[in-house]
Amino acid sequence: MRLRIFTEPQQGASYDTQLAVAKAAEDLGFDAFFRSDHFVKMGDVTGEPGPTDSWVTLGALARETSRIRLGTLVTAATFRYPGPLAIAVAQVDQMSGGRVDLGLGTGWFDQEHTAYGIPFPSLGERFERLEEQLEILTGLWGTPAGETYSFSGAHYTLADSPALPKPARAGGPPIIIGGAGAKRTPRLAVRYADEYNVPFHQVRETGEAFDRVRAASAEAGRTKPMVYSAAQVVCCGRDEAELQRRADAIGRQVSELRDNGLAGTPGELVDKIGRFAELGAECLYLQVLDMHDLDHLELLAAEVMSKV
């Protein structure tokens, strides 16, 4: 089981804070540093000093780290045109020496679109745009050197693109598609994804979502292996007092976190991670909501990661 640190900087984190977490994750042996792609805070926090752009941040972190993978869970297809997104991701991948993973989704938080003047179409149109973006990204990255790429869809048109720059990895970075939808998500995952992620669902629901993608893969005749992963909010303490202190710091109840996330003593976390592993999960994203508590990462590395 690979454990990845997953952060929510829109809740209130400067670049320097993200850098500290990324470096700690690398030094402690975690597999990756991931971040959300949001422009407005959620819940009862100030969100100060304000949002940071995910791909600007990851480009900087690419030059400050050397081993860990870097990525988004997930970039919103509503935020960027597919051509410029392909350029940005390919550049960061080159800057990192091929350590980028791209999570891409429809976008869902209407408030941040309104706040920053970003169109927020219907869910059906957002899925259409997501599918076209996936086709364009993989098409641009997969175009042989010296050839051009064109695409004509309902929402995007590209004509004679030089399809540059190329990512470090031939064909482009691994693509992650997440969600627990019953029809459209499995279809897109089977067609485009290297990894399928189920975020913030309990073990049974996660297994059901995995099974839907496995069934869709079999029906489509997909032979390429799929990585299955899950994301869970994490809150760990050596004892109940430490656990309560960390839950209070993120404004959550311990009982709720135990039900809906990875919360408890290190032993409890190891046991629950094992239940995800039994479903076929190879990778788990630990959503760290208090980005200033680096001791939390040290505990997770020493007492949880070392045992899974």
Side-chain angles (χ1 to χ4, degrees):
M1 177 70 73
R2 292 176 286 120
L3 299 185
R4 295 180 158 184
I5 298 302
F6 169 38
T7 62
E8 301 278 353
Q10 79 279 352
Q11 298 299 89
S14 66
Y15 169 73
D16 287 339
T17 298
Q18 295 173 71
L19 174 61
V21 174
K23 284 193 167 184
E26 180 162 82
D27 291 344
L28 291 168
F30 289 97
D31 182 65
F33 172 89
F34 269 62
R35 56 157 291 161
S36 61
D37 191 18
H38 287 296
F39 293 137
V40 170
K41 61 94 173 177
M42 301 163 195
D44 190 21
V45 296
T46 67
E48 296 178 356
T52 51
D53 182 272
S54 60
W55 288 102
V56 171
T57 300
L58 293 174
L61 294 178
R63 309 304 288 178
E64 298 279 1
T65 57
S66 60
R67 180 192 60 79
I68 54 171
R69 298 197 65 78
L70 302 165
T72 53
L73 208 64
V74 293
T75 287
T78 50
F79 286 175
R80 301 165 182 88
Y81 287 108
L85 178 61
I87 291 170
V89 175
Q91 181 180 0
V92 176
D93 195 46
Q94 287 282 359
M95 293 166 69
S96 70
R99 293 184 287 120
V100 161
D101 294 56
L102 171 63
L104 190 63
T106 59
W108 60 270
F109 191 27
D110 58 348
Q111 183 181 343
E112 64 189 337
H113 293 75
T114 302
Y116 287 98
I118 304 168
F120 188 67
S122 67
L123 180 59
E125 181 177 330
R126 298 201 309 274
F127 264 102
E128 291 173 3
R129 289 180 176 273
L130 172 61
E131 184 162 8
E132 288 192 18
Q133 288 210 4
L134 289 164
E135 179 68 28
I136 291 166
L137 289 165
T138 54
L140 287 169
W141 292 336
T143 297
E147 298 184 14
T148 61
Y149 175 79
S150 297
F151 175 86
S152 180
H155 303 286
Y156 306 105
T157 299
L158 288 73
D160 299 323
S161 171
L164 295 173
K166 297 300 187 193
R169 169 176 140 160
I175 290 176
I176 304 166
I177 291 179
K183 296 181 179 179
R184 289 177 292 196
T185 298
R187 180 178 62 81
L188 291 180
V190 168
R191 183 172 179 183
Y192 295 105
D194 299 277
E195 177 179 333
Y196 171 61
N197 178 268
V198 179
F200 312 124
H201 282 67
Q202 295 185 348
V203 175
R204 179 182 59 81
E205 297 166 331
T206 300
E208 292 170 352
F210 284 177
D211 286 343
R212 286 193 291 269
V213 171
R214 291 188 181 105
S217 293
E219 183 178 351
R222 174 176 166 138
T223 57
K224 180 181 178 180
M226 178 79 78
V227 173
Y228 291 88
S229 66
Q232 296 277 291
V233 61
V234 66
C235 186
C236 186
R238 295 174 181 84
D239 52 36
E240 289 299 316
E242 186 174 68
L243 178 62
Q244 185 66 59
R245 174 175 63 79
R246 288 203 163 103
D248 289 344
I250 60 174
R252 302 280 286 269
Q253 297 293 321
V254 170
S255 59
E256 179 267 327
L257 286 167
R258 276 192 161 111
D259 288 341
N260 298 313
L262 280 174
T265 62
E268 287 180 87
L269 267 64
V270 170
D271 288 345
K272 193 164 188 179
I273 290 170
R275 294 169 63 193
F276 283 102
E278 290 171 0
L279 301 175
E282 302 174 42
C283 179
L284 205 61
Y285 294 78
L286 308 181
Q287 186 194 45
V288 175
L289 294 177
D290 184 354
M291 295 179 65
H292 299 284
D293 186 2
L294 299 183
D295 290 341
H296 194 195
L297 299 187
E298 293 179 5
L299 175 61
L300 292 167
E303 301 295 335
V304 178
M305 184 167 61
S306 64
K307 296 177 173 60
V308 298

